Amino acid sequence: MNDKNREVIVLALEKINEFCNGNLDAEEIYEEFSSSNKSSNEKLLNILKILSNNQINQHEILQEAMMSLEKTTPQQCLLKFLRRIDKNMGSHNYQFSTPNSNSTRIYDFSTPEILENLKEKIHAVASTSICRSQQNCSISNQLNISNPLTPSSSPSLFSFQKNRRKDAAQWFNLDIKEVDTQINIVAVPISTQEMILLNDIIFSLLGIRGTYIIPEEIKTSIGILEISFKVSDQIQKSLRDVTHEILPLGCYYYNIQNFIENVRFINCGQVLESLTATLRDLLHDYCLLISQLEFQHISGMLTVHKLHFYLRPTIKTMETLHKVINDITANSLTGGQILTLLYDKVNYLSGDEQTQKFITELLKRASLPYMNILYLWITKGIIDDPQNEFLIEDNEIKSRDETPENYSTDYWEKRYTPRRERIPRFLEKCSDVILRTGKYLNVIRQCGKKIDSGNLDRFHLFCPTSQMYMNIILEAYEFASKILLDVVLKENDLMGHLISIKKYLLLYQGDFITQLMDACEEELIKNVDTILPVKLENLLGLTLRLSSAKNDPYKDNLHCDILPVNLVTQMGKITHKLDECWSPENKIELTGIECFILKFDVKWPVSLVLNQFAISKYQMLFRQLFYCKHVERQLCIIWKENTTAKKFSPHTANLYRGAFTLSQRMMNAIQNLEYYMMIEVIEPFWHDFITKIKNKIENVDAVLIAHSNFLDNCLRNCFISDAVLLLGVTQLCQICLKFCEFLQVCILL
């Protein structure tokens, strides 16, 4: 600092030392802070501790001084300390005033001459402190602009303030009533006016209230804070015109800085945090630019027109950034929505290479936390998204062991769901691939297998012009789908489970079905309310051990149950056509034959394919086939009774001949129906399904689709999915059973 500045600082130190009853020498204090290489921070802090005696918040002042010593030079720390004491001692008529503060606070010296002289010297110190400090120091520290990242800023829920914040307004002292401190400079030469104007312009570009450039008002446009400037009419018109072209930059700086301060850091999201961190870096560069221009101004090498020329590219870039900030604030965008906005802005600015490059860099840095979440999802199947910004939502509530029986179906369909409104534009095409990749890896991890995707490249900064991230996503998808398919098909033997289900639920194990019906028929012809399920379970286990099914490794997964409704009522409820096909007055007492089903239990992860819904479709097919098989057995019993009828007299036997002919036709109809369902429907669709699994299937989703198509085709072609056709088949079987009962009664008579 020059002699003039030294004199002012020493004078201020003397007054502070006198106020705190200290016994320090102001000259020695100044020398200690000027010779930074000779004194330790601890010694300097002890000096400041003495000077801050009698201050109510001494501890807070010393904490700020300690942080300032770590980040800036001792001289700057001393200036900041004096400003803080000035702020603290307003009630003692002693202030270390900042430039252009428009404050009426003064030093309490004995004469007005000393007062005016001191004010001029302090103004000179504060005006030249920026350009004489090290360039790597923060401009905001030099101008005493509060940093939004300091520990004193208390975090709370994410919000964009619609009302003006007090600290933001203080950048331009907007909360202080305007005081007319302008000196009439109409008659001053234009060159002198220009120097005065340059000083005010630089202050305005950094959020400091000027003398001849006044922030006139704060306007609210769709809830967004804005500010405008009024240039004094005393300034020459040509200079005013150029100044009006420069001052929007100050508005942009104010709005961006206000945006950063108004974003609060608990639930605002990682993307927005990354964006605001990048904005702070950009504003730091902006302040350095203004500092360099101020140095040129002090050196007498800057004019208003030169300043406009130098700032023209910055004005355009800051204007674009200002619009982006307004869009984010007005629509309360977060996460992927912000990335979509920036991505669209990059494409929109294809004709402006410099601004496009700037927004591209902003997009790269803002997307970094989002891409890290994405990378963890496609490589580990884990979502680390505390602020719910990611395109995939995890709906898991319980652990798998505590979930109900339909966990597998709900898990695959409902646990991980895409949130379309949060998908960035550049990930829309591959969002389904991303969803399946993480789901596959999650299932693999729950099966106890170690996921090793070490050969997969890691995401670097996202670049809109590069498709590298797409290649990584597709590579991760191929890896996950291959591993899970091997786990389900080979390690957990999905084909073996399917073959067992076909044997039992689709009646392809002939001797087992025959022995089961022989063993259980006496129990199943009873009313459904009188049947003992435990007895049926024991008979089923005995049949499995006596038939050829005893060699099946999955026979122990088979169980039986009794449902409270018949197949027609069940399908009527599913298709919502119950009233059309089965009215309450047509209901009859149900027998075990109509309500008997087989259950097949499977473990994770085979239950992803053979889930509850799939098993219920198999059970519908079983009920249809089992009921037809029962009708066939009853008709066969009637055919055996034909030998008894031959012993009757010719006249009586002739009467029975037509009845037995009809029963034979009934048997042919039922057998043809069974043949159609099992040989012409189920078997061809089964063959196509198995062929797809062995040759064409590449992922578990394809297995699920193929399996679902197989079951749906079987239900439709076996007259089950159509409630009206199903009712017709059921009534046909019931007529056959009633006819068999009638003949048996007649023969016994």
Side-chain angles (χ1 to χ4, degrees), residues 185-186 190 193-194 197-198 201 212-213 229-248 304-305 308:
I185 59 173
V186 175
I190 294 180
Q193 281 192 14
E194 187 171 21
L197 183 62
L198 280 170
I201 291 175
Y212 298 95
I213 299 178
F229 294 96
K230 178 182 179 182
V231 182
S232 174
D233 294 336
Q234 299 182 37
I235 303 298
Q236 201 268 343
K237 187 177 183 306
S238 62
L239 294 178
R240 284 205 314 270
D241 293 341
V242 179
T243 302
H244 281 303
E245 295 183 16
I246 299 174
L247 288 178
V304 174
H305 290 82
H308 181 229

Side-chain angles (χ1 to χ4, degrees), residues 76 102 105 127 139 206 231 262 266 272 275 406 427 466 530 548 569 593 600 709 727:
Q76 293 167 339
N102 289 331
R105 297 177 296 178
S127 299
I139 292 296
L206 290 173
V231 182
N262 287 340
I266 286 186
L272 196 54
L275 176 64
N406 61 345
L427 293 178
S466 173
T530 62
S548 59
T569 306
I593 290 292
F600 194 85
N709 290 339
L727 178 61

Side-chain angles (χ1 to χ4, degrees), residues 712-731:
D712 291 342
N713 288 331
C714 290
L715 290 174
R716 183 175 61 254
N717 288 277
C718 290
F719 317 117
I720 298 177
S721 58
D722 190 326
V724 177
L725 293 177
L726 175 61
L727 178 61
V729 173
T730 303
Q731 289 176 341

Side-chain angles (χ1 to χ4, degrees), residues 386-402:
Q387 274 94 20
N388 295 323
E389 297 178 280
F390 192 48
L391 61 92
I392 307 298
E393 183 176 11
D394 187 355
N395 300 309
E396 179 73 349
I397 299 177
K398 303 177 181 179
S399 64
R400 180 163 56 88
D401 296 335
E402 300 174 353

Side-chain angles (χ1 to χ4, degrees), residues 101-104 172-182 209-217 230 232:
S101 65
N102 289 331
S103 175
T104 57
F172 291 104
N173 288 329
L174 294 170
D175 54 347
I176 300 176
K177 293 183 179 180
E178 184 176 348
V179 179
D180 187 9
T181 59
Q182 296 181 2
R209 189 185 188 97
T211 303
Y212 298 95
I213 299 178
I214 307 293
E216 188 177 35
E217 61 181 355
K230 178 182 179 182
S232 174

Side-chain angles (χ1 to χ4, degrees), residues 35 114 262 340 599 687:
S35 56
I114 295 177
N262 287 340
T340 296
K599 299 190 299 182
H687 181 267

Side-chain angles (χ1 to χ4, degrees), residues 238-363:
S238 62
L239 294 178
R240 284 205 314 270
D241 293 341
V242 179
T243 302
H244 281 303
E245 295 183 16
I246 299 174
L247 288 178
L249 185 58
C251 301
Y252 304 150
Y253 172 74
Y254 168 81
N255 287 335
I256 295 170
Q257 189 71 276
N258 197 34
F259 170 80
I260 293 174
E261 290 191 5
N262 287 340
V263 172
R264 303 195 175 181
F265 293 95
I266 286 186
N267 289 329
C268 65
Q270 298 181 56
V271 172
L272 196 54
E273 287 185 25
S274 180
L275 176 64
T276 52
T278 305
L279 291 177
R280 279 189 290 272
D281 294 339
L282 294 173
L283 291 187
H284 176 266
D285 295 340
Y286 165 82
C287 290
L288 288 180
L289 170 64
I290 302 301
S291 177
Q292 293 169 358
L293 293 172
E294 184 184 25
F295 181 77
Q296 289 193 22
H297 164 53
I298 294 173
S299 303
M301 296 184 295
L302 188 66
T303 65
V304 174
H305 290 82
K306 279 186 178 181
L307 180 64
H308 181 229
F309 176 77
Y310 293 149
L311 292 177
R312 187 177 298 170
T314 305
I315 293 173
K316 191 170 185 179
T317 301
M318 292 285 279
E319 181 184 9
T320 302
L321 186 56
H322 166 73
K323 292 178 180 177
V324 171
I325 296 303
N326 283 352
D327 289 340
I328 293 174
T329 305
N331 301 301
S332 298
L333 303 182
T334 59
Q337 298 170 329
I338 294 177
L339 300 182
T340 296
L341 174 66
L342 294 174
Y343 182 76
D344 292 343
K345 188 68 69 175
V346 169
N347 295 330
Y348 176 76
L349 295 170
S350 57
D352 187 350
E353 183 177 352
Q354 182 177 355
T355 307
Q356 185 186 46
K357 184 178 179 181
F358 168 77
I359 299 298
T360 299
E361 186 64 25
L362 198 64
L363 174 58

